[in-house]
């Protein structure tokens, strides 16, 4: 075997590592010997065909899981932001939950914001703004049955909210035409005989009208990480954030895997599952091999959408009735299978364990193939 | 093979490439499997937005990997 043949059988990372360790001026012969030695070890270390990697993964993650603390709340390093961590977060990821407990985004920025210029203002512009936040005061006029409010111009200017935008948002939110006299806006209550209650209700409604920023982003926090500034948010809206010019579209990321899936696709979702799992494992000071997590992520994304490891997700997709029944809600599965006359060909592991047969794993996998002797005439 | 490398792509999205029909046949016979058995990707997946794909195509995905630096993965395109 020449050296290129050997290299083609090793993975690029190994080759890189070998090259970094070889002293300068190593002769080609000696280098080849090293490669041969490594290749032998490499093939020895490979998982053999028929190895039940799924069970090993389950045990590897499960055993470490017992050491995790149930401590849900943790400070995100800088300020008072609650983040789901530890076991609850791991369950959330592996179950493939559609709504997660603490959705968050890390927004990376382009220049000049990257170096910290105007970052506070930018963060404010990203955060969703309700009318109540930019209003100086609400005045309730009970004689006229109307609510008047004045805008804090400075705040509105920073947030880039124009008077016409406010008019539009209020009219859309209340379905009442608004009178604008200078800095004061007057909203009359609909209906002639409205009481005090209706006026107060209108005031509360006005307070909650969405006027600017990006929806769902409830909290923003500019932080410095290494040399650059970035914005951490509570609440996610990856799609809208990515439309902004100031945002680095290549690195900005949400911790909501479903959102990543719908905005960036299945491969990005797989990478996101792996990254989020790492964060949990690292946060707990545990050590789980990368390959286990990759296997789980691959399994969860195998059919092009995200399937959690639950009875509705990848377990529900199993073809064998007995395998499904052995996981959760056995009666339901057995009755449904009986109703439609399902057949179980006993091809997989669990069902063979149940009926005490050799399972198709490891040495149970190969079958003997015999060549029939030719018939003699 | 049409390359779809674009600078604006997110760093989590690896390079997706469509295999030609001959490459597809070659791959399936090399792996000894049918199209039904390879992992899937939806036709309307955002990563395929700028590519001309139809159900039955195979997409070659060049992933970055922590353990092997680069790995190649294949997904078959499905409807829905």
């Amino acid at each position: 075997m020449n050296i290129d043949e050997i290299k083609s059988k090793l993975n690029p990372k190994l080759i890189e590592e070998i090259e970094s360790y070889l002293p300068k001026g190593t002769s080609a012969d000696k280098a080849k010997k090293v490669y041969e030695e490594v290749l032998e070890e490499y093939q020895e270390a490979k998982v053999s065909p028929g190895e039940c990697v799924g069970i090993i993964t389950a045990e590897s993650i499960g055993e470490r899981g017992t050491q995790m603390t149930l401590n849900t709340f943790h400070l995100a390093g800088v300020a008072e932001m609650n983040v789901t961590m530890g076991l609850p977060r791991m369950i959330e990821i592996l179950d493939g939950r559609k709504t997660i407990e603490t959705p968050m985004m890390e927004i990376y920025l382009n220049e000049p914001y990257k170096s910290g210029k105007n970052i506070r203002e930018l963060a404010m512009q990203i955060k969703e703004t309700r009318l109540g936040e930019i209003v100086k005061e609400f005045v309730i006029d009970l004689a006229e049955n109307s609510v008047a409010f004045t805008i804090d111009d400075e705040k509105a200017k920073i947030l880039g909210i124009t008077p016409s935008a406010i008019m539009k948002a209020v009219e859309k939110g209340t379905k009442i035409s608004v009178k604008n006299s200078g800095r004061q806006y007057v909203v009359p209550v609909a209906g002639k005989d409205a009481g005090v209650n209706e006026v107060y209700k209108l005031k509360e409604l006005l307070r909650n009208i969405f006027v600017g920023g990006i929806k769902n982003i409830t909290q923003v926090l500019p932080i410095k990480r290494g040399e650059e500034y970035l914005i951490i948010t509570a609440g996610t809206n990856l799609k809208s954030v990515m439309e902004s010019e100031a945002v680095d579209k290549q690195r900005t990321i949400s911790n909501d895997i479903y959102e990543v899936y719908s905005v960036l696709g299945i491969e990005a979702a797989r990478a996101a599952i792996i990254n989020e799992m790492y964060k949990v494992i690292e946060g707990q000071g545990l050590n789980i091999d990368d390959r286990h997590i990759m296997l789980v992520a691959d399994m969860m994304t195998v059919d092009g959408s995200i399937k959690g490891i639950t009875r509705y997700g990848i377990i529900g997709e199993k073809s064998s009735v007995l395998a499904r029944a052995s996981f959760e809600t056995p009666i339901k599965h057995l009755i449904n299978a009986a109703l439609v006359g399902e057949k179980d060909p006993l091809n997989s592991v669990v069902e063979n364990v149940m009926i005490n047969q050799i399972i198709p794993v490891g040495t149970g996998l190969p079958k003997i193939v015999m060549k029939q002797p030719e018939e003699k005439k | 093979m049409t390359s779809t490398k674009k600078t604006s792509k997110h760093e989590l999205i690896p390079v997706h490439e469509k295999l030609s029909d001959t490459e597809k046949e070659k791959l399936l016979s090399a792996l000894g499997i049918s199209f039904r058995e390879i992992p899937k990707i939806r036709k309307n997946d955002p990563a395929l937005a700028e590519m001309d794909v139809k159900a039955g195509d195979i997409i070659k995905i060049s992933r970055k990997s922590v353990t092997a630096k680069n790995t190649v993965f294949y997904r078959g395109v499905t409807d829905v």
Side-chain angles (χ1 to χ4, degrees), chain A residues 51-343:
Chain A
E51 184 79 68
C52 38
V53 286
I55 292 172
I56 296 173
T57 295
E59 284 179 350
S60 303
I61 296 176
E63 194 271 332
R64 282 2 172 255
T66 60
Q67 294 167 32
M68 286 210 279
T69 49
L70 281 162
N71 198 5
T72 324
F73 296 109
H74 195 275
L75 298 179
V78 204
E80 60 292 339
M81 256 191 192
N82 276 334
V83 189
T84 317
M85 299 270 298
L87 199 60
R89 175 68 184 145
M90 190 146 137
I91 292 168
E92 209 171 67
I93 300 166
L94 294 180
D95 278 1
R97 298 241 171 101
K98 276 204 167 121
T99 43
I100 58 174
E101 239 170 84
T102 49
M104 275 176 74
M105 272 198 303
E106 278 177 14
I107 304 177
Y108 288 87
L109 304 165
N110 288 329
E111 292 292 356
Y113 304 102
K114 199 174 166 181
S115 42
K117 200 183 165 216
N118 293 338
I119 189 155
R120 222 159 268 283
E121 285 79 3
L122 183 71
M124 293 294 287
Q125 281 169 26
I126 287 172
K127 182 175 177 285
E128 92 176 349
T129 310
R130 302 273 166 189
L131 188 64
E133 292 167 52
I134 55 164
V135 163
K136 246 187 195 155
E137 58 171 353
F138 284 100
V139 181
I140 290 172
D141 189 338
L142 287 177
E144 294 280 322
N145 266 351
S146 70
V147 179
F149 58 88
T150 44
I151 298 292
D152 187 336
D153 285 336
E154 241 169 79
K155 256 191 186 169
K157 207 178 159 193
I158 291 172
L159 297 172
I161 298 166
T162 58
S164 64
I166 295 171
M167 290 275 285
K168 239 187 182 170
V170 171
E171 279 180 359
K172 203 179 153 207
T174 57
K175 295 182 179 71
I176 300 170
S177 61
V178 182
K179 282 179 216 118
N180 180 3
S181 52
R183 290 169 61 195
Q184 201 175 40
Y185 299 78
V186 183
V187 188
V189 177
K192 288 261 157 61
D193 40 61
V196 183
N197 257 341
E198 271 72 30
V199 184
Y200 270 102
K201 263 187 202 158
L202 178 66
K203 189 193 131 196
E204 285 312 310
L205 180 71
L206 282 172
R207 200 188 277 282
N208 257 322
I209 283 172
F210 171 80
V211 285
I214 293 168
K215 267 197 180 156
N216 285 337
I217 305 217
T218 51
Q219 236 179 319
V220 285
L221 181 72
I223 64 157
K224 191 177 185 186
R225 185 178 293 166
E227 281 302 297
E228 66 176 322
Y229 285 84
L230 53 128
I231 299 172
I232 290 183
T233 69
T236 63
N237 195 336
L238 198 56
K239 203 169 184 182
S240 305
V241 168
M242 297 266 250
E243 279 162 13
S244 165
E245 279 297 306
V247 170
D248 185 343
K249 291 174 186 62
Q250 293 188 35
R251 293 189 292 158
T252 296
I253 194 66
S254 153
N255 74 344
D256 183 344
I257 287 149
Y258 264 92
E259 191 173 35
V260 173
Y261 167 57
S262 64
V263 179
L264 301 173
I266 192 71
E267 275 295 318
R270 173 192 173 268
I273 293 173
I274 294 174
N275 291 347
E276 291 298 321
M277 282 292 285
Y278 270 141
K279 273 193 218 161
V280 176
I281 291 159
E282 254 166 38
Q284 297 282 322
L286 301 176
N287 185 19
I288 301 179
D289 196 279
D290 307 327
R291 280 154 264 245
H292 298 314
I293 296 159
M294 285 196 260
L295 181 70
V296 171
D298 274 334
M299 196 61 222
M300 284 173 72
T301 57
V302 77
D303 77 336
S305 65
I306 296 170
K307 289 257 146 57
I309 304 173
T310 62
R311 72 182 102 136
Y312 309 106
I314 60 175
I315 308 288
E317 304 265 296
K318 283 191 178 181
S319 58
S320 162
V321 199
L322 293 176
R324 268 178 281 138
S326 77
F327 184 65
E328 275 168 14
T329 58
I331 310 284
K332 190 186 97 188
H333 283 297
L334 291 176
I335 288 175
N336 285 342
L339 279 175
V340 295
E342 225 174 285
K343 276 184 186 159

Side-chain angles (χ1 to χ4, degrees), chain B residues 61-78:
Chain B
I61 296 159
S62 315
R63 286 175 180 167
K64 277 181 198 138
S65 154
V66 232
T67 50
K69 203 174 172 203
N70 302 308
T71 50
V72 178
F73 198 74
Y74 297 95
R75 281 184 190 272
V77 181
T78 55

